[in-house]
């Protein structure tokens, strides 16, 4: 008695789309901010020395690219950012998953990790200077530390939250502990893992910029911000800040784009 | 039937969850023998401990007292398990095909081989199911069917089914009864099936075990009076009606005993 189709009592669950669409409205607020910026500077409500006009800022930004090797600064900052971030993820993800895989290990290490996560790495820059000197390695190490703890904690939490039912299903079908980890825990933790990686991506950029400002360097966006500040060149200051903001925003958007495709099943 | 060897021996099994005030005794002094190749159904009130009993049998839940021995304690049998909360036990990041093939993946079977086995088991059941779909997009019934096929993919020695047909419509149920019986006859697999539907329980089982309220113990065991060769029309037979009457007797006795 072949049944042509399975009839069921309940309908498929109405899934909510995981990612919120930005759409046209997402551009309304930035445009409003820009308009406000024009207004405030155009009506001379604040002295131009404190807030330069958008036109001057963007003109200056183009000038920085053309005459003041800004591309090399971006490159130098991106290199430190990328190195610190990638190292942090390479070590943090497996370590975090391992910690979250066992309730006992998680309970034993959580307070310590939370303590280190709560320490502002930027406040520890003297320590990094002592340990790594004034070169790139200190800045990379700072970015690495910032990424590391955020990634570890997120991965550990994600693994800890793995659904007991799915772990049980795998065990019933004969999975070893490693297979349970590889085929279930890893995927259960993946949404939280990526969310941690996204958070630490922005955090890492901030840390690299600040470390460049504090420690000093030849090339780097933080150094340009610092230069501008010391000579009261607010146009340049704003130009670099706008660039940093745009850079962080674009990378984050790219990450979100990839994330919703990788963990396509969340929120469904 | 008694010529078949003993397969599962549950002896004085006791199990409680929680401690102190919250201690919840789920199994108390539960004993039952299952023979190899037997089709056993369980029927009992909500929350009495049926799922816990099945989990104890397959060893994902441990006992406080007593023991469960399989196959004389010699080898670990292959288990196929259809979980009650079928959706919670499927992997949302895998397609239907990969969910069904999950037990094979654990055994290191290559992808092409997995897929051909999946196709074979689907063909055997003659169900139309979208193998490429993801499980979050399935209806409850399709998810349950995925879960059933996953349990069958390994040619299990023991097939555990915890209310496997609850989300399927009546017509699909009837067709699955036939399929399950067919598989049981062809392979000699031992089947333990929990059901909330008395007709289902006494139609399918060679024996139906009636459980008491929590903590679960055996209230009565009803031997099937149906002919060995089962047909759906037997649900309207004299023998079926008399079994159902016996079952009602058992309920009434249980209910009176508990309230007395
Ligand atoms: N992991 C657990 N931790 C604590 N209590 C549990 C656990 N699993 C089951 N229980 C409790 O044990 C009792 C029996 O649960 P079980 O799921 O075995 O009942 P059941 O007969 O399968 O119920 P149903 O008819 O709803 O399927 C319930 O009171 C339940 O709350
Ligand atoms: Mg149950």
């Amino acid at each position: 008695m072949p049944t042509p189709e399975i009839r069921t009592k309940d309908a498929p669950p109405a899934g909510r789309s995981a990612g919120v669409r930005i759409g046209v409205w997402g551009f309304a607020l930035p445009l409003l901010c820009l308009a406000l910026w024009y207004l405030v500077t155009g009506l001379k409500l604040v002295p131009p020395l404190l807030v330069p006009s958008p036109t001057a800022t963007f003109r200056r930004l183009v000038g920085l690219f053309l005459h003041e090797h800004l591309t090399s600064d971006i490159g130098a900052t991106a290199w430190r950012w990328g190195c610190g971030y990638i190292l942090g993820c390479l070590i943090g993800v497996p370590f975090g998953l391992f910690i979250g895989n066992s309730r006992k290990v998680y309970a034993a290490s959580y307070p310590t990790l939370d303590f280190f996560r709560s320490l502002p790495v930027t406040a520890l820059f003297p320590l990094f200077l002592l340990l790594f000197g004034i070169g790139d390695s200190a800045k990379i190490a700072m970015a690495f530390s910032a990424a590391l703890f955020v990634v570890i904690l997120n991965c550990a939490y994600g693994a800890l939250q793995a659904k007991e039912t799915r772990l049980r299903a795998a065990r019933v079908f004969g999975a070893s502990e490693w297979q349970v980890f590889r085929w279930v825990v890893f995927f259960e933790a993946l949404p939280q893992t990526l969310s941690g990686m996204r958070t630490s991506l922005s955090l890492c950029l901030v840390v690299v910029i600040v470390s460049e400002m504090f420690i000093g360097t030849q090339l780097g966006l933080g150094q340009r911000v610092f230069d501008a500040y010391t000579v009261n060149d607010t146009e340049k200051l704003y130009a670099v800040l706008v660039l940093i903001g745009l850079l962080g925003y674009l990378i984050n958007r790219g990450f979100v784009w990839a994330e919703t495709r990788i963990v396509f099943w969340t929120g469904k | 039937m008694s010529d078949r060897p003993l397969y599962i021996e549950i002896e004085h099994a006791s199990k409680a969850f929680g401690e102190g005030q919250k201690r919840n005794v789920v199994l108390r002094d539960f004993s039952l023998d299952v023979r190899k190749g037997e089709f056993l159904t369980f029927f009992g009130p909500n929350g009495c401990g049926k799922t816990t009993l099945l989990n104890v049998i397959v060893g994902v839940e441990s006992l406080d007292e007593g023991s469960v021995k399989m196959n004389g304690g010699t080898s670990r049998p292959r288990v196929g398990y259809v979980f009650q909360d079928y959706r919670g036990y499927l992997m949302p990041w895998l397609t239907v095909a990969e969910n069904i093939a999950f037990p094979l993946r654990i055994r290191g079977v290559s992808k092409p081989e997995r897929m051909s086995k999946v196709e074979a088991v689907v063909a055997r059941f003659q169900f139309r199911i979208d193998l490429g779909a993801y499980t979050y997009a399935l209806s409850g019934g399709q998810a349950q069917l995925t879960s059933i096929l996953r349990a069958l993919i390994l040619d299990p020695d023991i097939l555990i089914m915890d209310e496997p047909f609850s989300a399927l419509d009546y017509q699909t149920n009837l067709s699955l009864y036939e399929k399950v019986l067919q598989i049981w006859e062809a392979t000699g697999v031992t089947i333990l099936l929990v059901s909330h539907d008395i007709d289902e329980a006494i139609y399918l089982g060679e024996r139906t075990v009636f459980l008491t309220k929590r903590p679960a113990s055996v209230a009565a065991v009803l031997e099937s009076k149906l002919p060995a060769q089962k047909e759906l029309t037997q649900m309207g037979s004299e023998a079926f009606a008399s079994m159902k009457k016996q079952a009602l007797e058992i309920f009434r006795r249980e209910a009176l005993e508990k309230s007395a």
Side-chain angles (χ1 to χ4, degrees):
Chain A
M1 184 171 112
T3 313
E5 216 146 350
I6 317 152
R7 241 153 281 153
T8 54
K9 287 178 191 163
D10 53 344
R16 224 185 244 216
S17 168
V20 179
R21 294 200 189 293
I22 303 289
V24 179
W25 285 105
F27 293 102
L29 202 55
L31 284 177
L32 194 73
C33 288
L34 201 62
L36 217 64
W37 188 4
Y38 266 111
L39 203 72
V40 166
T41 49
L43 295 176
K44 304 254 187 312
L45 293 178
V46 284
L49 211 65
L50 281 183
V51 185
S53 77
T55 329
T57 305
F58 286 112
R59 202 185 302 128
R60 188 58 190 274
L61 184 56
V62 174
L64 285 173
F65 272 110
L66 294 180
H67 314 296
E68 293 184 51
H69 57 73
L70 194 62
T71 330
S72 314
D73 289 314
I74 296 176
T77 298
W79 163 252
R80 294 167 193 137
W81 183 18
C83 284
Y85 177 70
I86 289 169
L87 278 176
C89 291
L90 278 180
I91 295 176
V93 171
F95 196 55
L97 291 177
F98 167 76
I99 287 172
N101 194 35
S102 147
R103 255 163 220 289
K104 278 189 196 137
V105 179
Y106 185 84
S109 43
Y110 183 80
T112 319
L113 289 169
D114 207 26
F115 170 79
F116 281 111
R117 197 262 317 256
S118 309
L119 279 182
V121 246
T122 42
L124 292 178
F125 89 92
L127 192 64
F128 282 94
L129 272 181
L130 282 176
L131 289 173
F132 296 96
I134 56 162
D136 265 2
S137 36
K139 297 168 194 98
I140 292 174
M142 280 173 76
F144 165 79
S145 318
L148 185 70
F149 290 103
V150 174
V151 169
I152 288 181
L153 281 170
N154 275 280
C155 288
Y157 188 72
L160 190 74
Q161 296 297 310
K163 260 195 105 169
E164 190 59 45
T165 52
R166 301 207 178 99
L167 306 181
R168 180 170 279 182
R171 290 198 186 106
V172 163
F173 290 116
S176 64
E177 277 314 298
W178 165 247
Q179 285 174 320
V180 172
F181 180 78
R182 170 77 186 79
W183 295 116
V184 185
V185 176
F186 175 80
F187 289 98
E188 287 278 21
L190 199 53
Q192 187 77 33
T193 300
L194 291 176
S195 153
M197 283 170 65
R198 178 160 40 77
T199 313
S200 62
L201 188 60
S202 317
L203 182 68
C204 254
L205 178 61
V206 173
V207 169
V208 169
I209 304 272
V210 173
S211 75
E212 287 169 350
M213 291 173 69
F214 281 177
I215 303 175
T217 168
Q218 285 288 320
L219 291 171
L221 292 173
Q223 186 62 46
R224 294 291 81 83
V225 170
F226 194 74
D227 293 347
Y229 162 72
T230 46
V231 296
N232 262 342
D233 186 348
T234 42
E235 268 178 23
K236 182 171 168 186
L237 184 65
Y238 274 70
V240 180
L241 288 181
V242 164
L243 178 76
I244 293 172
L246 281 176
L247 218 61
Y249 171 78
L250 287 176
I251 299 260
N252 200 52
R253 289 297 309 162
F255 198 106
V256 169
W257 182 88
E259 191 179 342
T260 49
R261 274 154 189 78
I262 296 170
V263 289
F264 58 87
W265 66 88
T266 54
K268 295 267 169 73
Chain B
M1 194 185 80
S2 49
D3 54 329
R4 287 181 285 186
L6 261 185
Y7 198 49
I8 306 171
E9 296 163 80
I10 307 165
E11 279 170 3
H12 308 294
S14 294
K15 168 87 188 168
F17 289 108
E19 282 179 15
Q21 288 268 300
K22 288 192 189 143
R23 194 174 146 84
N24 180 6
V25 182
V26 180
L27 298 175
R28 179 179 288 154
D29 199 22
F30 190 103
S31 296
L32 183 73
D33 286 343
V34 183
R35 296 193 167 271
K36 192 166 173 61
E38 196 171 1
F39 197 144
L40 207 60
T41 54
F42 293 86
F43 190 83
N46 260 325
C48 75
K50 302 179 292 293
T51 301
T52 306
L53 176 67
L54 297 179
N55 286 338
V56 159
I57 291 173
V58 299
V60 283
E61 203 80 78
S62 62
L63 278 175
D64 298 337
E65 279 167 52
S67 66
V68 175
K69 227 187 327 177
M70 291 249 208
N71 214 357
T74 48
S75 62
R76 218 183 113 85
R78 266 194 312 243
V79 176
Y81 199 137
V82 183
F83 298 93
Q84 182 173 12
D85 166 23
Y86 44 88
R87 202 181 281 284
Y89 286 85
L90 292 172
M91 316 294 165
W93 51 86
L94 296 178
T95 59
V96 167
E98 283 292 15
N99 263 288
I100 296 174
F102 192 77
L104 296 174
R105 174 179 280 203
I106 283 167
R107 277 159 186 77
V109 177
S110 72
K111 179 153 183 156
E113 206 176 324
R114 285 206 297 271
M115 291 306 117
S116 74
K117 287 213 164 156
V118 167
E119 270 159 29
V121 79
V122 170
R124 183 173 196 179
F125 272 76
Q126 292 177 281
F127 272 109
R128 217 187 281 163
I129 185 159
D130 183 0
L131 289 175
Y134 284 93
T135 52
Y136 53 75
L138 297 181
S139 71
Q142 291 169 317
Q144 204 161 39
L145 193 77
T146 305
S147 181
I148 293 171
L149 293 172
R150 178 177 67 175
L152 291 168
I153 194 97
L154 273 186
D155 295 322
D157 301 314
I158 301 176
L159 184 55
I160 306 267
M161 306 177 101
D162 198 354
E163 296 184 31
F165 311 128
S166 59
L168 299 159
D169 66 50
Y170 192 58
Q171 194 192 341
T172 309
N173 270 358
L174 294 186
S175 110
L176 272 174
Y177 293 168
E178 297 205 323
K179 300 291 175 196
V180 169
L181 286 168
Q182 217 176 307
I183 293 231
W184 174 62
E185 276 155 21
T187 61
V189 58
T190 307
I191 300 183
L192 308 183
L193 183 146
V194 166
S195 177
H196 260 157
D197 180 333
I198 186 65
D199 286 3
E200 180 177 296
I202 57 183
Y203 174 68
L204 290 175
E206 289 180 287
R207 288 193 294 159
T208 301
V209 179
F210 291 86
L211 302 174
T212 62
K213 286 183 197 148
R214 189 170 68 235
S217 57
V218 179
V221 179
L222 190 64
E223 297 264 351
S224 179
K225 291 177 188 147
L226 299 180
Q229 196 59 46
K230 281 188 183 143
E231 270 172 46
L232 287 169
T233 51
Q234 289 163 3
M235 283 208 209
S237 71
E238 199 74 14
F240 193 82
S242 94
M243 279 164 67
K244 208 165 163 179
K245 207 170 139 207
Q246 268 180 292
L248 289 172
E249 277 303 313
I250 295 168
F251 292 153
R252 224 181 32 158
R253 205 179 60 216
E254 270 302 299
L256 285 177
E257 241 169 59
K258 291 286 151 142
S259 54

